[in-house]
Amino acid sequence: MPLQHIILMRHAERLDRYLEAKGEDWISTAPRPQDSPLSPAGRDQARRVAQQLKDSGFRIRFILCSPMVRCVETADLVAGELGLGAGSLRVEPGLVEESKAMRGKAAPEPPPVWPLHLPVSQLLDVSPRIDESFVPLLPVHHVKNEAYPNQVQEVLDDCDETNADTVTSIRCRNFVSALMQADGMAEEECVLCVGHGASVKYCAEALQEGLPADRVLAGERGVSCFAAFCPLEVTAGGSGQDSRLPRGPWHAPKGVWGTGSEVSDVDASVSGGRSSGGSVVHDRGDDQG
């Protein structure tokens, strides 16, 4: 049976955003400014998402995740709650952060440290569940470019595009196609992909291409957001002919993004980052992070 569900999830809350929302400095002494781990609240968010996935009955055997530490930590926490063991995490560069969102944009911030993400051999210290034998579906190439504020530029094979948003969109479209064509994918019922604001956004757009506007997923893509997509059967008179996917457009039956944030977390982000209980959260709804 072909793959039935692709779940897209944005990593949970970052430690750097959490501390900075409290007025504390993190980045000036960070060993890797662009690669923040999760905050304590973010770890709780990841576990809550896992519980919702478990309650929904999805049969997830492995998780694809961006190589950034915050995504590996998110995926590891979800895997733990789902009872997944060794080899259940597959580090996938195709889900990595967009180049323009790497920290180091302004003079006070130190520039990103290269390599931009840790190799799998070092990420094993973050999660022992990582499958060392996994071959990424879509290699991603970054170069230093002094013309960019953070010196990071993503380059595509056989494409001269330089606009960062367009490059990320093309890369995510290529990742979705590679995922559906990957060996063994027809044996999977459901795959969870953990990425960033932009990679989740553009992967969702690729899946939903050709859907009527009223079927496109709505709502905010804040930290720890997630949604399950499945193929939409296209009738003879229906839409979907414009989809580039082999099985037509995919849709999210629930119609909105789920979240691992508690109600107080969401309220806090609207009120400037401080909940009624005094704890500080920073639930960014934009695509950066």
Side-chain angles (χ1 to χ4, degrees):
M1 178 181 293
L3 181 63
Q4 295 300 302
H5 291 93
I6 294 176
I7 303 174
L8 299 178
M9 178 184 177
R10 184 178 180 179
H11 64 78
E13 182 187 69
R14 303 162 49 156
L15 180 62
D16 58 345
R17 304 299 190 193
Y18 167 78
L19 292 175
E20 288 164 3
K22 296 199 299 179
E24 298 180 19
D25 175 54
W26 178 87
I27 197 168
S28 65
T29 58
R32 295 176 53 78
Q34 77 280 8
D35 208 8
S36 171
L38 296 181
S39 70
R43 300 181 70 83
D44 290 338
Q45 290 169 357
R47 295 188 184 98
R48 286 195 289 266
V49 169
Q51 188 58 56
Q52 293 177 65
L53 295 176
K54 185 186 298 186
D55 293 344
S56 297
F58 291 113
R59 297 177 58 186
I60 300 170
R61 296 198 311 125
F62 67 87
I63 301 172
L64 293 169
C65 66
S66 158
M68 307 303 284
V69 167
R70 53 192 177 275
C71 289
V72 177
E73 287 185 337
T74 299
D76 183 71
L77 289 162
V78 172
E81 293 295 316
L82 295 180
L84 304 182
S88 58
L89 263 60
R90 301 179 181 180
V91 177
E92 176 50 58
L95 290 164
V96 76
E97 177 71 284
E98 62 178 341
S99 62
K100 72 176 187 179
M102 297 286 181
R103 297 211 62 175
K105 292 182 177 182
E109 292 190 357
V113 171
W114 295 72
L116 296 174
H117 55 78
L118 297 173
V120 167
S121 60
Q122 291 180 257
L123 287 174
L124 283 167
D125 293 333
V126 180
S127 173
R129 293 183 174 87
I130 291 176
D131 180 357
E132 293 182 81
S133 66
F134 175 67
V135 178
L137 302 177
L138 189 71
V140 175
H141 307 291
H142 293 99
V143 297
K144 285 187 179 181
N145 187 331
E146 300 295 337
Y148 281 67
N150 60 0
Q151 303 178 0
V152 178
Q153 181 180 4
E154 182 178 340
V155 293
L156 299 169
D157 294 335
D158 304 320
C159 180
D160 295 330
E161 181 61 57
T162 59
N163 178 273
D165 293 320
T166 305
V167 168
T168 306
S169 176
I170 293 172
R171 182 241 296 169
C172 291
R173 185 183 303 279
N174 291 341
F175 164 72
V176 169
S177 296
L179 174 62
M180 293 189 178
Q181 298 171 29
D183 292 340
M185 202 53 61
E187 303 170 5
E188 301 299 328
E189 178 181 312
C190 179
V191 173
L192 171 60
C193 300
V194 179
H196 304 262
S199 56
V200 166
K201 169 187 175 180
Y202 290 121
C203 284
E205 287 183 359
L207 286 169
Q208 297 176 104
E209 183 178 20
L211 278 183
D214 61 353
R215 301 294 296 273
V216 174
L217 189 61
E220 293 293 331
R221 294 183 312 279
V223 291
S224 78
C225 72
F226 68 97
F229 297 81
C230 61
L232 178 70
E233 293 186 3
V234 182
T235 60
S239 62
Q241 297 94 330
D242 293 334
S243 175
R244 303 181 188 183
L245 302 180
R247 298 165 65 194
W250 289 48
H251 73 126
K254 285 198 171 183
V256 294
W257 293 95
T259 180
S261 297
E262 292 183 312
V263 174
S264 59
D265 293 344
V266 176
D267 289 343
S269 70
V270 174
S271 62
R274 188 168 300 277
S275 68
S276 58
S279 61
V280 177
V281 297
H282 194 74
D283 190 357
R284 289 176 68 105
D286 60 21
D287 298 325
Q288 298 184 15

